[in-house]
PDB file of all heavy atoms in Angstrom:
ATOM      1  N   GLU A 774     249.279 -28.440 156.134  1.00  0.00           N
ATOM      2  CA  GLU A 774     249.550 -27.005 155.887  1.00  0.00           C
ATOM      3  C   GLU A 774     251.007 -26.796 155.612  1.00  0.00           C
ATOM      4  O   GLU A 774     251.347 -26.025 154.725  1.00  0.00           O
ATOM      5  CB  GLU A 774     249.109 -26.237 157.106  1.00  0.00           C
ATOM      6  CG  GLU A 774     247.577 -26.165 157.260  1.00  0.00           C
ATOM      7  CD  GLU A 774     247.152 -25.401 158.465  1.00  0.00           C
ATOM      8  OE1 GLU A 774     248.023 -24.835 159.266  1.00  0.00           O
ATOM      9  OE2 GLU A 774     245.897 -25.237 158.649  1.00  0.00           O
ATOM     10  N   HIS A 775     251.913 -27.511 156.223  1.00  0.00           N
ATOM     11  CA  HIS A 775     253.364 -27.360 156.001  1.00  0.00           C
ATOM     12  C   HIS A 775     253.687 -27.784 154.572  1.00  0.00           C
ATOM     13  O   HIS A 775     254.399 -27.100 153.857  1.00  0.00           O
ATOM     14  CB  HIS A 775     254.220 -28.148 157.036  1.00  0.00           C
ATOM     15  CG  HIS A 775     255.658 -28.048 156.795  1.00  0.00           C
ATOM     16  ND1 HIS A 775     256.421 -26.982 157.082  1.00  0.00           N
ATOM     17  CD2 HIS A 775     256.494 -29.015 156.225  1.00  0.00           C
ATOM     18  CE1 HIS A 775     257.670 -27.235 156.693  1.00  0.00           C
ATOM     19  NE2 HIS A 775     257.760 -28.432 156.181  1.00  0.00           N
ATOM     20  N   THR A 776     253.093 -28.938 154.195  1.00  0.00           N
ATOM     21  CA  THR A 776     253.376 -29.462 152.862  1.00  0.00           C
ATOM     22  C   THR A 776     252.816 -28.488 151.791  1.00  0.00           C
ATOM     23  O   THR A 776     253.516 -28.175 150.763  1.00  0.00           O
ATOM     24  CB  THR A 776     252.691 -30.837 152.654  1.00  0.00           C
ATOM     25  OG1 THR A 776     253.269 -31.771 153.602  1.00  0.00           O
ATOM     26  CG2 THR A 776     252.886 -31.416 151.240  1.00  0.00           C
ATOM     27  N   LEU A 777     251.615 -27.976 151.966  1.00  0.00           N
ATOM     28  CA  LEU A 777     251.066 -26.995 151.026  1.00  0.00           C
ATOM     29  C   LEU A 777     251.889 -25.702 150.966  1.00  0.00           C
ATOM     30  O   LEU A 777     252.069 -25.181 149.919  1.00  0.00           O
ATOM     31  CB  LEU A 777     249.632 -26.745 151.349  1.00  0.00           C
ATOM     32  CG  LEU A 777     248.623 -27.891 151.221  1.00  0.00           C
ATOM     33  CD1 LEU A 777     247.254 -27.490 151.667  1.00  0.00           C
ATOM     34  CD2 LEU A 777     248.531 -28.278 149.740  1.00  0.00           C
ATOM     35  N   LYS A 778     252.300 -25.263 152.135  1.00  0.00           N
ATOM     36  CA  LYS A 778     253.074 -24.008 152.199  1.00  0.00           C
ATOM     37  C   LYS A 778     254.419 -24.194 151.415  1.00  0.00           C
ATOM     38  O   LYS A 778     254.836 -23.291 150.673  1.00  0.00           O
ATOM     39  CB  LYS A 778     253.359 -23.646 153.662  1.00  0.00           C
ATOM     40  CG  LYS A 778     253.730 -22.199 153.895  1.00  0.00           C
ATOM     41  CD  LYS A 778     253.804 -21.980 155.407  1.00  0.00           C
ATOM     42  CE  LYS A 778     253.806 -20.493 155.619  1.00  0.00           C
ATOM     43  NZ  LYS A 778     253.824 -20.159 157.073  1.00  0.00           N
ATOM     44  N   ALA A 779     255.019 -25.297 151.603  1.00  0.00           N
ATOM     45  CA  ALA A 779     256.325 -25.635 150.864  1.00  0.00           C
ATOM     46  C   ALA A 779     256.086 -25.672 149.406  1.00  0.00           C
ATOM     47  O   ALA A 779     256.835 -25.159 148.570  1.00  0.00           O
ATOM     48  CB  ALA A 779     256.892 -26.948 151.354  1.00  0.00           C
ATOM     49  N   ALA A 780     254.933 -26.300 148.966  1.00  0.00           N
ATOM     50  CA  ALA A 780     254.640 -26.367 147.549  1.00  0.00           C
ATOM     51  C   ALA A 780     254.406 -25.025 146.953  1.00  0.00           C
ATOM     52  O   ALA A 780     254.831 -24.712 145.825  1.00  0.00           O
ATOM     53  CB  ALA A 780     253.468 -27.296 147.323  1.00  0.00           C
ATOM     54  N   LEU A 781     253.738 -24.154 147.719  1.00  0.00           N
ATOM     55  CA  LEU A 781     253.543 -22.748 147.237  1.00  0.00           C
ATOM     56  C   LEU A 781     254.786 -21.970 147.145  1.00  0.00           C
ATOM     57  O   LEU A 781     255.056 -21.298 146.130  1.00  0.00           O
ATOM     58  CB  LEU A 781     252.492 -22.039 148.188  1.00  0.00           C
ATOM     59  CG  LEU A 781     251.024 -22.438 148.054  1.00  0.00           C
ATOM     60  CD1 LEU A 781     250.198 -21.808 149.166  1.00  0.00           C
ATOM     61  CD2 LEU A 781     250.475 -22.034 146.675  1.00  0.00           C
ATOM     62  N   ALA A 782     255.663 -22.169 148.049  1.00  0.00           N
ATOM     63  CA  ALA A 782     256.947 -21.459 148.045  1.00  0.00           C
ATOM     64  C   ALA A 782     257.761 -21.979 146.846  1.00  0.00           C
ATOM     65  O   ALA A 782     258.382 -21.154 146.174  1.00  0.00           O
ATOM     66  CB  ALA A 782     257.719 -21.698 149.319  1.00  0.00           C
ATOM     67  N   SER A 783     257.733 -23.250 146.555  1.00  0.00           N
ATOM     68  CA  SER A 783     258.466 -23.790 145.418  1.00  0.00           C
ATOM     69  C   SER A 783     257.920 -23.253 144.122  1.00  0.00           C
ATOM     70  O   SER A 783     258.618 -22.791 143.240  1.00  0.00           O
ATOM     71  CB  SER A 783     258.351 -25.324 145.431  1.00  0.00           C
ATOM     72  OG  SER A 783     258.917 -25.826 144.280  1.00  0.00           O
ATOM     73  N   GLY A 784     256.573 -23.203 144.040  1.00  0.00           N
ATOM     74  CA  GLY A 784     255.943 -22.653 142.854  1.00  0.00           C
ATOM     75  C   GLY A 784     256.233 -21.194 142.662  1.00  0.00           C
ATOM     76  O   GLY A 784     256.498 -20.746 141.515  1.00  0.00           O
ATOM     77  N   GLU A 785     256.284 -20.440 143.714  1.00  0.00           N
ATOM     78  CA  GLU A 785     256.577 -19.019 143.630  1.00  0.00           C
ATOM     79  C   GLU A 785     257.978 -18.851 143.117  1.00  0.00           C
ATOM     80  O   GLU A 785     258.301 -17.953 142.305  1.00  0.00           O
ATOM     81  CB  GLU A 785     256.398 -18.368 145.004  1.00  0.00           C
ATOM     82  CG  GLU A 785     256.580 -16.829 145.012  1.00  0.00           C
ATOM     83  CD  GLU A 785     256.205 -16.212 146.272  1.00  0.00           C
ATOM     84  OE1 GLU A 785     256.376 -16.844 147.380  1.00  0.00           O
ATOM     85  OE2 GLU A 785     255.769 -15.023 146.294  1.00  0.00           O
ATOM     86  N   SER A 786     258.934 -19.659 143.636  1.00  0.00           N
ATOM     87  CA  SER A 786     260.321 -19.560 143.209  1.00  0.00           C
ATOM     88  C   SER A 786     260.406 -19.860 141.661  1.00  0.00           C
ATOM     89  O   SER A 786     261.164 -19.121 140.926  1.00  0.00           O
ATOM     90  CB  SER A 786     261.103 -20.593 143.952  1.00  0.00           C
ATOM     91  OG  SER A 786     262.441 -20.606 143.492  1.00  0.00           O
ATOM     92  N   LYS A 787     259.684 -20.881 141.213  1.00  0.00           N
ATOM     93  CA  LYS A 787     259.719 -21.192 139.758  1.00  0.00           C
ATOM     94  C   LYS A 787     259.169 -20.080 138.933  1.00  0.00           C
ATOM     95  O   LYS A 787     259.647 -19.758 137.864  1.00  0.00           O
ATOM     96  CB  LYS A 787     258.994 -22.487 139.544  1.00  0.00           C
ATOM     97  CG  LYS A 787     259.682 -23.707 140.069  1.00  0.00           C
ATOM     98  CD  LYS A 787     258.806 -25.008 139.906  1.00  0.00           C
ATOM     99  CE  LYS A 787     259.515 -26.142 140.569  1.00  0.00           C
ATOM    100  NZ  LYS A 787     258.691 -27.344 140.485  1.00  0.00           N
ATOM    101  N   ILE A 788     258.106 -19.424 139.461  1.00  0.00           N
ATOM    102  CA  ILE A 788     257.506 -18.282 138.753  1.00  0.00           C
ATOM    103  C   ILE A 788     258.424 -17.147 138.713  1.00  0.00           C
ATOM    104  O   ILE A 788     258.608 -16.490 137.643  1.00  0.00           O
ATOM    105  CB  ILE A 788     256.152 -17.925 139.386  1.00  0.00           C
ATOM    106  CG1 ILE A 788     255.092 -19.012 139.101  1.00  0.00           C
ATOM    107  CG2 ILE A 788     255.640 -16.548 138.896  1.00  0.00           C
ATOM    108  CD1 ILE A 788     253.792 -18.883 139.848  1.00  0.00           C
ATOM    109  N   GLU A 789     259.211 -16.855 139.765  1.00  0.00           N
ATOM    110  CA  GLU A 789     260.160 -15.829 139.768  1.00  0.00           C
ATOM    111  C   GLU A 789     261.242 -16.096 138.705  1.00  0.00           C
ATOM    112  O   GLU A 789     261.712 -15.119 138.032  1.00  0.00           O
ATOM    113  CB  GLU A 789     260.819 -15.603 141.135  1.00  0.00           C
ATOM    114  CG  GLU A 789     259.863 -14.968 142.171  1.00  0.00           C
ATOM    115  CD  GLU A 789     259.293 -13.663 141.687  1.00  0.00           C
ATOM    116  OE1 GLU A 789     260.044 -12.833 141.170  1.00  0.00           O
ATOM    117  OE2 GLU A 789     258.097 -13.362 141.898  1.00  0.00           O
ATOM    118  N   GLU A 790     261.681 -17.387 138.591  1.00  0.00           N
ATOM    119  CA  GLU A 790     262.629 -17.764 137.573  1.00  0.00           C
ATOM    120  C   GLU A 790     262.155 -17.444 136.149  1.00  0.00           C
ATOM    121  O   GLU A 790     262.786 -16.932 135.231  1.00  0.00           O
ATOM    122  CB  GLU A 790     263.096 -19.185 137.681  1.00  0.00           C
ATOM    123  CG  GLU A 790     263.831 -19.562 138.877  1.00  0.00           C
ATOM    124  CD  GLU A 790     264.034 -21.023 139.034  1.00  0.00           C
ATOM    125  OE1 GLU A 790     263.986 -21.800 138.012  1.00  0.00           O
ATOM    126  OE2 GLU A 790     264.364 -21.488 140.094  1.00  0.00           O
ATOM    127  N   MET A 791     260.834 -17.775 135.937  1.00  0.00           N
ATOM    128  CA  MET A 791     260.219 -17.558 134.644  1.00  0.00           C
ATOM    129  C   MET A 791     260.182 -16.050 134.342  1.00  0.00           C
ATOM    130  O   MET A 791     260.455 -15.596 133.236  1.00  0.00           O
ATOM    131  CB  MET A 791     258.795 -18.121 134.635  1.00  0.00           C
ATOM    132  CG  MET A 791     258.782 -19.658 134.763  1.00  0.00           C
ATOM    133  SD  MET A 791     257.115 -20.289 135.050  1.00  0.00           S
ATOM    134  CE  MET A 791     256.619 -20.714 133.349  1.00  0.00           C
ATOM    135  N   ARG A 792     259.774 -15.265 135.334  1.00  0.00           N
ATOM    136  CA  ARG A 792     259.689 -13.812 135.193  1.00  0.00           C
ATOM    137  C   ARG A 792     261.107 -13.247 134.765  1.00  0.00           C
ATOM    138  O   ARG A 792     261.187 -12.403 133.974  1.00  0.00           O
ATOM    139  CB  ARG A 792     259.257 -13.104 136.468  1.00  0.00           C
ATOM    140  CG  ARG A 792     257.746 -13.280 136.708  1.00  0.00           C
ATOM    141  CD  ARG A 792     257.389 -12.565 138.010  1.00  0.00           C
ATOM    142  NE  ARG A 792     255.942 -12.845 138.269  1.00  0.00           N
ATOM    143  CZ  ARG A 792     255.459 -12.985 139.428  1.00  0.00           C
ATOM    144  NH1 ARG A 792     256.268 -12.899 140.545  1.00  0.00           N
ATOM    145  NH2 ARG A 792     254.177 -13.217 139.633  1.00  0.00           N
ATOM    146  N   ALA A 793     262.148 -13.753 135.477  1.00  0.00           N
ATOM    147  CA  ALA A 793     263.469 -13.269 135.172  1.00  0.00           C
ATOM    148  C   ALA A 793     263.896 -13.592 133.802  1.00  0.00           C
ATOM    149  O   ALA A 793     264.501 -12.743 133.110  1.00  0.00           O
ATOM    150  CB  ALA A 793     264.435 -13.910 136.195  1.00  0.00           C
TER     151      ALA A 793
END
Side-chain angles (χ1 to χ4, degrees):
E774 288 179 0
H775 177 75
T776 300
L777 292 174
K778 199 173 194 176
L781 285 171
S783 174
E785 187 174 27
S786 176
K787 290 175 184 176
I788 288 170
E789 288 302 320
E790 289 175 22
M791 294 168 98
R792 286 182 185 142

